[in-house]
Amino acid sequence: MPRGRGSPVSNPKETNVEETTNSNKDNTRHSRSVYLLLGLLIVFLHGSWSVYRTQFGNLPLPLDAEQAGKRGFSEASALKHVEYLTGLGPHPVGSDSLDLAVQYVYAEAEKIKKTAHWDVDVQLELFHTDIGANRLSGGLFNGKTLLYADLKHVILRIVPKYLPEAEENLILVSSHIDTVSTTEGAGDCSSCVGVMLELARGVAQWAHGFKSGVLFLFNTGEEEGLDGAHSFITQHHWRNSVRFAVDLEAMGISGKSTLFQGTHQWALESFAAVAKYPSAQIATQDVFRSGAIKSATDFQIYQEVAGLPGLDFAYTDRTSVYHTKNDKMKLLKPGSLQHIGENMLAFLLHAAASPKFMKDAHQAKQESTEQKKAIFFDILGKYMIVYPQRLAIMFHNSIIFQSLLIWGTSLLMGGRHGLVSFGISCLSIILMLIFSICLPVVVAFALPHISPFPVSFVANPWLVIGLFGSPALLGAFIGQHIGFILLKRHIQQVYLKTKPGLTGNTIEYIVDLEAERWIFKSGFVQWLIVLILGTYLKVGASYIALIWLVSPAFAYGLMEATLSPARLPKQLKVVTLVLALAAPVVSSAGLVVRMVDVMAGSIVRADRNPGGLPDWLGNVVVAVGIAIVVSFTFVYLLSYVHISGAKRTLLSLLCTLFGLALVMVSSGIVPAFTEDIARSVNVVHVVDTTRMNDRNTEPSSYISLFSNTPGKLTKELTDLGGEEFSCGRNMTIDFVTFTMKYGCRSYKGSNTGWSKSEVPLLQVESDSASDDTRRTIVSVDTKSSTRWSLAINKQEIDDFTIQVDSENLVQLGDKSQLDGWHTVQFAGGKSSPTKFQLTLFWSSNATHASPKEAKVEDYPFLVKLRTDVNRVTPMVEKVLEKLPRWCTPFVSFFSPGPSSSPQCQQ
């Protein structure tokens, strides 16, 4: 790094009298004014917000059908499809509303076929899947086998009429029609279906000039575990003709649909070359693939099962409404569908007409994906940058080597004094990070005790600026200021020994300026460490660290550095800070704001096992994330504060901002949840048969209330007075796929709305042992349910098979486990089978290796079954009506389960 003027690491020489005199004159005015520092802070924050608004909030004007023309994309036309689909209400797999949705999509596809260009061949199919098994093992699918049956997909193939080879080279565009059981799914993913129908209409007018075909897959079953994509890619006769996959998804509602996963450089470059409004971030790919976001898309099927190259797009605005009742039409921002529609239409026209694109797609299957990985990101939503990861690593290594060489040379020349100064500046980085994290974490721990809800900022994410941002910035300044004071003491001792001719005021002035420069340069060290780690771990977003290192270092070298060791230091120029932060803010500020917003919104669904996480944990995660961002991005700006007159003003401002936010949260002036951004509350009618084997022939029935949002249900219960709910951690329920560890339960009116004939049956058909191997055959009858989960105890069972109608659906071998269990999840349409045969092969280390030794008492469950019925019973309906409007009933289906069987015996 460039050395600053008058650095104590230089060879001490006599300073000339004139410079010393000038320094004394400047001594009284080196302190920066409060207004200057506040101005810089406002410019930095406003600039960051402006970048975010430009990059993520600047949407194109929506076009109607007349403006778009016959060959263009019209948001107004796409919205008509979305309006119809959302008007059906929730349409999960197996529901009547999903059948209507599929019929509508098919009817609209028929219109596209009839109005296509005369030189374009359009083929339409309503694909009815066979029963199948999805055996993905990574991420969310660890320890699971997913089964499906009776799924219906609408498939539309568009190819040039007189080019037969186009039929063997298809670009797949995919999304799903089905929703979860509690939302109309405007964002996830009726908007995607609407976009695809409008895209298909436009493509059908252009395809006569294509070199390859385009296949639109409107699948069902995605919400049940990517079953729709899996059934197509393993069963349909067109699957082997697909060479490239594009998946449209939503992890929020509306806004810009961002390219967040891409497999190959050539594909990314093709999109970047034609996208009118590029929005792409490899940082989201890093986060998604790390497992920090507990979600998956159909793209995983296309990539892992089919081995296809491709691109994955998703909406990420308002993640707090994802999979809730508030995923509705009125929250779709105008221009959202126009944005993805114009981008995708341009990409499909380019890719399908390009012989080179399909040639690259063919070669992709023969090449290693690792070799073709690329770094990609957009600048202000205007330009998209793509370059090979191999080039990025080479460039990063070059910068790292040069930085280490410059620092090493500088420290070698500076000797012991320079080394100590460097060590203290590194200490300031550590102190800055520690204090920046500690203060907001204290607030995070305190919030559940002073606020009506533990997570009090979901409906108003801007509150995190005051609640966590202010303490984080205060902590960062305190930590850095401690380092500044330690540096001053060391540098002062150096100057007293090496420059005895200077007066006391002059030394104090010089020491302040020299310490300021070391603090500024500590930011170089901080970002250099991040760059080294990111490059070593091959993190795609390491380019951010590169920009935060190179841009400030260049600005400092241009405006501040000198090769003359005899000159005394001068105050850091304001223009140096502006030049240093311009490129980092433009390139990454919008992404940082978006990531914080997504993190805050995701807290709504943070607790997958309700009551399993401490109330403060969500706050702590957000607080730590904000603290790290503040500590790393404010390192340069805060270095300008230490010798200014703005320290007290800054502290007062931050404390005031924090106090206001705390008052608004604790008093309830700003609500934690609203009708549009609600807390997820699960209302489930449970019929529990776990005790039916204990001389009790009647199942237990009750209404269960729990939430995936951290916090107790105290506020909700005030509106449920008279319904006889009791709450606590003694209400634990094993729902097979998750465990409710805190919730509420009511037995009032729970005996109506269901019949005993709907309760599933697990019946031991045979239990035998031969050659030291015990085998138990169990018949499973799920009655009217076509959505169920079955867990098998892998501590007792070594392997198992599942048969249906003499077909071996789940075969022996290769079954992972999670917490000692392997879970089989089934989802299908109304014609799905409900009777299965489960064959269990016992482990040699099982508690009972012989059926003669088997006893029911005091042994763990061997098999657990939960069946779900999509029905709202009278008591559930009554509870739903009474819940506050800021609650969203995340689960409203009737569940005759968990129905569990202890160790099977004959």
Side-chain angles (χ1 to χ4, degrees):
M1 294 295 106
R3 288 163 43 219
R5 296 184 177 99
S7 170
V9 304
S10 61
N11 240 350
K13 292 187 178 181
E14 294 295 326
T15 55
N16 61 56
V17 176
E18 182 180 352
E19 187 168 357
T20 303
T21 304
N22 290 337
S23 297
N24 283 320
K25 289 180 180 179
D26 290 338
N27 193 15
T28 58
R29 60 174 185 268
H30 77 274
S31 179
R32 299 184 182 90
S33 71
V34 173
Y35 301 107
L36 175 63
L37 268 298
L38 287 179
L40 287 173
L41 180 62
I42 291 172
V43 168
F44 179 74
L45 295 176
H46 184 266
S48 299
W49 180 251
S50 298
V51 167
Y52 170 72
R53 293 296 303 165
T54 302
Q55 188 169 9
F56 291 99
N58 191 15
L59 295 168
L61 291 174
L63 302 180
D64 58 30
E66 184 177 350
Q67 291 171 316
K70 195 174 182 179
R71 293 184 165 191
F73 183 92
S74 165
E75 176 174 302
S77 298
L79 280 175
K80 291 179 181 178
H81 305 310
V82 181
E83 185 175 4
Y84 178 87
L85 293 172
T86 55
L88 296 173
H91 34 283
V93 168
S95 65
D96 293 334
S97 54
L98 181 59
D99 290 339
L100 293 174
V102 171
Q103 291 170 17
Y104 173 81
V105 173
Y106 186 85
E108 292 300 313
E110 277 192 319
K111 294 178 184 178
I112 294 170
K113 180 178 180 178
K114 292 177 181 178
T115 58
H117 190 278
W118 59 84
D119 277 340
V120 174
D121 181 29
V122 178
Q123 291 194 28
L124 176 62
E125 283 193 18
L126 181 60
F127 178 51
H128 195 169
T129 69
D130 295 328
I131 191 167
N134 181 353
R135 296 289 297 275
L136 286 176
S137 58
L140 291 177
F141 304 100
N142 183 34
K144 291 181 180 180
T145 296
L146 305 176
L147 307 180
Y148 54 83
D150 192 33
L151 300 178
K152 297 174 183 177
H153 314 324
V154 177
I155 305 175
L156 187 68
R157 190 182 72 171
I158 304 175
V159 296
K161 187 171 288 185
Y162 304 110
L163 193 65
E165 56 265 32
E167 297 180 4
E168 299 302 318
N169 297 286
L170 301 176
I171 298 171
L172 173 68
V173 183
S174 171
S175 191
H176 62 95
I177 306 174
D178 62 307
T179 70
V180 294
S181 61
T182 56
T183 177
E184 61 192 40
D188 184 25
C189 210
S190 295
S191 61
C192 311
V193 174
V195 166
M196 283 175 57
L197 285 170
E198 181 64 5
L199 282 173
R201 184 198 60 78
V203 167
Q205 304 302 321
W206 287 93
H208 57 283
F210 287 178
K211 303 299 181 184
S212 56
V214 180
L215 185 72
F216 291 92
L217 170 63
F218 304 86
N219 70 65
T220 62
E222 191 273 350
E223 297 293 3
E224 305 300 334
L226 317 184
D227 293 338
H230 187 274
S231 61
F232 168 80
I233 218 67
T234 57
Q235 297 181 15
H236 197 269
H237 59 94
W238 284 339
R239 67 185 185 277
N240 293 325
S241 300
V242 175
R243 310 299 176 196
F244 188 85
V246 175
D247 182 49
L248 303 184
E249 254 298 352
M251 290 183 286
I253 182 170
S254 72
K256 289 188 175 181
S257 184
T258 300
L259 170 58
F260 76 104
Q261 289 192 96
T263 56
H264 291 74
Q265 179 189 344
W266 55 266
L268 294 162
E269 288 175 341
S270 296
F271 176 75
V274 297
K276 192 174 180 180
Y277 313 103
S279 180
Q281 292 296 339
I282 194 172
T284 53
Q285 176 176 287
D286 292 333
V287 174
F288 195 77
R289 294 185 177 178
S290 71
I293 297 177
K294 303 297 183 183
S295 187
T297 71
D298 284 339
F299 190 69
Q300 185 174 348
I301 296 289
Y302 303 135
Q303 188 176 5
E304 295 183 14
V305 178
L308 294 171
L311 305 174
D312 200 5
F313 297 82
Y315 296 116
T316 55
D317 264 17
R318 295 201 181 205
T319 54
S320 55
V321 307
Y322 174 62
H323 280 188
T324 73
K325 69 173 184 180
N326 294 314
D327 185 1
K328 50 193 175 184
M329 276 287 293
K330 78 171 189 177
L331 296 183
L332 277 174
K333 295 179 181 176
S336 301
L337 275 59
Q338 193 71 38
H339 171 264
I340 183 59
E342 290 199 38
N343 280 347
M344 284 310 306
L345 183 59
F347 173 72
L348 291 175
L349 297 183
H350 166 74
S354 169
K356 183 180 182 302
F357 183 89
M358 196 51 62
K359 181 181 177 181
D360 290 337
H362 276 282
Q363 292 177 347
K365 278 200 169 186
Q366 303 170 1
E367 298 172 341
S368 169
T369 305
E370 194 69 28
Q371 295 178 352
K372 295 298 180 180
K373 282 185 177 180
I375 309 300
F376 59 93
F377 56 93
D378 71 272
I379 303 294
L380 299 178
K382 305 293 183 183
Y383 312 98
M384 182 172 167
I385 297 175
V386 182
Y387 55 95
Q389 189 177 60
R390 288 180 297 173
L391 176 63
I393 292 174
M394 291 172 57
F395 185 53
H396 292 179
N397 287 335
S398 174
I399 296 296
I400 291 169
F401 176 76
Q402 293 178 54
S403 300
L404 293 175
L405 183 63
I406 293 172
W407 271 112
T409 304
S410 178
L411 294 176
L412 187 63
M413 293 176 62
R416 176 180 176 276
H417 300 309
L419 192 61
V420 173
S421 296
F422 175 78
I424 296 174
S425 64
C426 290
L427 177 63
S428 73
I429 299 172
I430 298 172
L431 292 174
M432 187 178 183
L433 185 60
I434 291 173
F435 279 86
S436 181
I437 290 176
C438 286
L439 292 188
V441 164
V442 170
V443 176
F445 276 108
L447 271 181
H449 302 287
I450 60 177
S451 171
F453 294 96
V455 183
S456 50
F457 48 80
V458 174
N460 300 280
W462 52 266
L463 282 171
V464 301
I465 298 173
L467 291 174
F468 304 131
S470 295
L473 187 57
L474 178 61
F477 175 73
I478 292 172
Q480 194 181 70
H481 195 65
I482 293 173
F484 177 78
I485 293 172
L486 295 175
L487 267 171
K488 281 182 59 177
R489 291 181 180 177
H490 167 68
I491 296 171
Q492 188 173 32
Q493 292 176 0
V494 173
Y495 272 98
L496 287 174
K497 292 179 181 179
T498 59
K499 301 184 185 297
L502 298 177
T503 63
N505 287 340
T506 302
I507 288 179
E508 183 180 354
Y509 166 65
I510 294 171
V511 166
D512 281 348
L513 299 184
E514 193 63 46
E516 178 185 63
R517 287 170 176 266
W518 273 107
I519 290 295
F520 185 88
K521 290 186 290 184
S522 70
F524 305 159
V525 180
Q526 171 183 274
W527 284 107
L528 177 60
I529 293 171
V530 175
L531 181 61
I532 292 172
L533 291 174
T535 303
Y536 175 75
L537 298 173
K538 295 185 179 180
V539 177
S542 298
Y543 76 89
I544 296 174
L546 179 74
I547 296 172
W548 279 88
L549 169 62
V550 172
S551 180
F554 175 78
Y556 184 86
L558 179 67
M559 304 301 301
E560 306 290 348
T562 179
L563 298 177
S564 172
R567 296 181 63 183
L568 292 175
K570 291 186 177 181
Q571 191 176 49
L572 289 174
K573 302 178 180 66
V574 173
V575 69
T576 302
L577 182 65
V578 174
L579 288 176
L581 295 182
V585 167
V586 169
S587 63
S588 60
L591 174 64
V592 169
V593 175
R594 169 48 57 92
M595 296 293 267
V596 171
D597 180 58
V598 169
M599 185 166 52
S602 300
I603 299 299
V604 171
R605 301 169 303 278
D607 202 347
R608 287 183 169 261
N609 293 302
L613 299 178
D615 291 348
W616 45 261
L617 187 60
N619 292 331
V620 169
V621 171
V622 176
V624 170
I626 291 175
I628 292 174
V629 168
V630 167
S631 178
F632 277 77
T633 57
F634 278 82
V635 61
Y636 300 115
L637 178 58
L638 289 179
S639 65
Y640 277 65
V641 179
H642 302 291
I643 58 173
S644 73
K647 290 190 287 292
R648 290 185 178 179
T649 304
L650 177 65
L651 296 179
S652 300
L653 180 64
L654 293 177
C655 290
T656 301
L657 190 60
F658 169 69
L660 287 174
L662 199 61
V663 168
M664 286 189 285
V665 165
S666 59
S667 64
I669 295 175
V670 178
F673 303 100
T674 64
E675 187 175 351
D676 287 337
I677 301 180
R679 181 185 189 186
S680 66
V681 176
N682 301 41
V683 184
V684 184
H685 193 143
V686 178
V687 179
D688 190 346
T689 65
T690 54
R691 299 299 175 188
M692 286 183 67
N693 289 336
D694 296 343
R695 300 187 182 90
N696 186 354
T697 58
E698 295 298 323
S700 173
S701 175
Y702 50 86
I703 308 299
S704 179
L705 196 70
F706 54 92
S707 176
N708 296 99
T709 308
K712 296 182 179 180
L713 297 167
T714 308
K715 291 289 182 180
E716 289 81 355
L717 288 183
T718 58
D719 287 42
L720 294 174
E723 301 307 328
E724 302 178 7
F725 276 98
S726 56
C727 305
R729 295 191 175 275
N730 59 336
M731 305 289 178
T732 300
I733 304 175
D734 183 352
F735 281 100
V736 182
T737 55
F738 67 93
T739 301
M740 188 203 77
K741 298 184 178 180
Y742 166 83
C744 304
R745 184 181 300 181
S746 172
Y747 292 91
K748 180 182 177 181
S750 62
N751 289 325
T752 60
W754 65 278
S755 67
K756 194 173 178 180
S757 62
E758 295 177 290
V759 175
L761 294 177
L762 290 174
Q763 181 69 40
V764 177
E765 299 295 335
S766 67
D767 189 18
S768 60
S770 61
D771 298 329
D772 297 326
T773 300
R774 183 181 177 188
R775 185 177 69 170
T776 302
I777 298 177
V778 181
S779 64
V780 181
D781 187 352
T782 62
K783 300 296 183 173
S784 61
S785 175
T786 59
R787 186 177 188 270
W788 50 265
S789 300
L790 178 74
I792 290 121
N793 188 339
K794 289 288 288 180
Q795 305 299 318
E796 302 286 328
I797 300 302
D798 184 59
D799 209 342
F800 65 90
T801 63
I802 296 179
Q803 289 184 320
V804 55
D805 297 330
S806 301
E807 179 183 350
N808 204 4
L809 187 58
V810 178
Q811 300 179 357
L812 292 172
D814 191 27
K815 296 182 180 68
S816 58
Q817 58 177 289
L818 183 64
D819 298 329
W821 295 86
H822 185 91
T823 304
V824 180
Q825 293 180 233
F826 183 94
K830 299 171 185 175
S831 300
S832 298
T834 58
K835 294 183 179 182
F836 304 83
Q837 179 177 290
L838 172 66
T839 304
L840 305 172
F841 296 88
W842 291 67
S843 169
S844 57
N845 298 321
T847 306
H848 301 296
S850 168
K852 295 180 180 180
E853 302 171 355
K855 293 183 180 180
V856 172
E857 294 81 2
D858 303 325
Y859 292 109
F861 288 137
L862 182 68
V863 175
K864 300 184 294 186
L865 172 66
R866 186 193 86 215
T867 59
D868 304 328
V869 177
N870 190 22
R871 183 193 310 162
V872 179
T873 60
M875 189 58 191
V876 168
E877 185 174 12
K878 187 176 182 182
V879 172
L880 293 176
E881 290 174 352
K882 285 191 171 185
L883 279 175
R885 296 179 68 84
W886 42 261
C887 287
T888 173
F890 194 78
V891 177
S892 60
F893 52 73
F894 162 77
S895 175
S899 174
S900 305
S901 171
Q903 297 193 36
C904 300
Q905 57 180 333
Q906 195 169 11

